Amino acid sequence: MGILLDGKGLAEERRAELSTRVAAFVDEYGRAPCLSVVLVGDDSASALYVRNKVRMAEKVGMLSRVEHLPADASQEEVLNTVEELNGSTDVDGLIVQLPLPKGLDPEGIIARISPSKDVDGLTPVSLGRIVRGLDGSRPCTPKGVLTLLEHYGINCAGKKAAVVGRSALVGKPMALMLAQEDATVTLCHSKTRDLGNILKDADIVVAAIGRPAFLQPDSFKPGAVVVDVGINRIDDRWVGDVSVDGLSEVASAWTPVPGGVGPMTVISLLENTVLLAEDKK
């Protein structure tokens, strides 16, 4: 039986540690670190994600600020909001909740976030620092994945890793960050040939494609570590990109959905916010 990588449990442990760290920050500087979220439109999933972030921030003693703009907000209005928050001394971390409504240019908006407040690690500057191996905010989901693997003693060095999905949010930075951990990485996508053979040869597989149960347990070689980043709603339940039926009999370790990578993403966001607040001092 494979080991269940319990992201929910680990996130709770790190939340307690972060609460202590936030309290020390408040004692020293007289204020709590502040996370600001720009939410555009009324997408229910995005609104839920924002509420979860705000709730978790409050649990560790942080401040949160949500700027909610209407779905018909113009590019200029969103950029003006970002610039205002960039200039606010009370805001330590800033994210723009994705996806944005149609008609808006997400790349142009993300690029306008100040690197000193880029808590999600998605600006061109932040991603460039990953490529160069420099310190800086790391994208929260890949960071959460690596934290989870490290906690369970899974060493990436010398391993063959396959990342399925090449989004700028997860896939690309995940591949770069695994390479920094001395893994040999193959970044797979919809045009990848021989995906089956690549997966069968991989010691670590990270699935981040947004297609429910796209990968089956027989896709992986025995003993592989399978990290499922996917979160897909099917009727009244959430499922990942990997089918779990029989997965524990093939994988040496695997993440559940929900309760795996998701909680680690949120705690990584809060940890990044505190890091940025501390760096300002």
Side-chain angles (χ1 to χ4, degrees), residues 61-124:
M62 290 171 51
L63 299 176
S64 59
R65 175 176 171 182
V66 179
E67 300 292 336
H68 192 177
L69 301 179
D72 60 356
S74 67
Q75 183 85 3
E76 183 179 5
E77 288 172 321
V78 179
L79 289 174
N80 287 341
T81 300
V82 169
E83 290 292 1
E84 177 188 345
L85 296 170
N86 280 340
S88 174
T89 58
D90 296 331
V91 173
D92 300 295
L94 168 60
I95 63 171
V96 175
Q97 183 65 42
L98 301 176
L100 291 168
K102 291 182 179 180
L104 295 177
D105 171 24
E107 295 303 325
I109 292 170
I110 290 171
R112 194 67 67 88
I113 297 172
S114 170
S116 66
K117 296 189 178 185
D118 178 22
V119 73
D120 227 0
L122 295 180
T123 65

Side-chain angles (χ1 to χ4, degrees), residues 162 164 186 188-189 192-202 205 214-221:
V164 188
T186 302
C188 306
H189 47 80
T192 298
R193 296 181 179 180
D194 298 324
L195 176 61
N197 288 332
I198 293 171
L199 295 180
K200 283 288 188 181
D201 195 39
V205 177
F214 179 74
L215 300 178
Q216 302 296 314
D218 61 7
S219 302
F220 314 112
K221 78 174 185 181

Side-chain angles (χ1 to χ4, degrees), residues 159-181:
K159 303 288 181 60
K160 294 180 180 179
V163 178
V164 188
R166 55 178 171 179
S167 72
L169 187 66
V170 178
K172 289 178 181 177
M174 184 81 259
L176 290 169
M177 291 165 68
L178 281 166
Q180 286 186 339
E181 296 297 317

Side-chain angles (χ1 to χ4, degrees), residues 209-213 228 230-234 237-241 257:
I209 48 180
R211 297 179 62 179
D228 192 350
I231 182 74
N232 312 281
R233 191 170 184 84
I234 303 295
R237 61 192 181 98
W238 294 99
V239 300
D241 292 344
V257 177

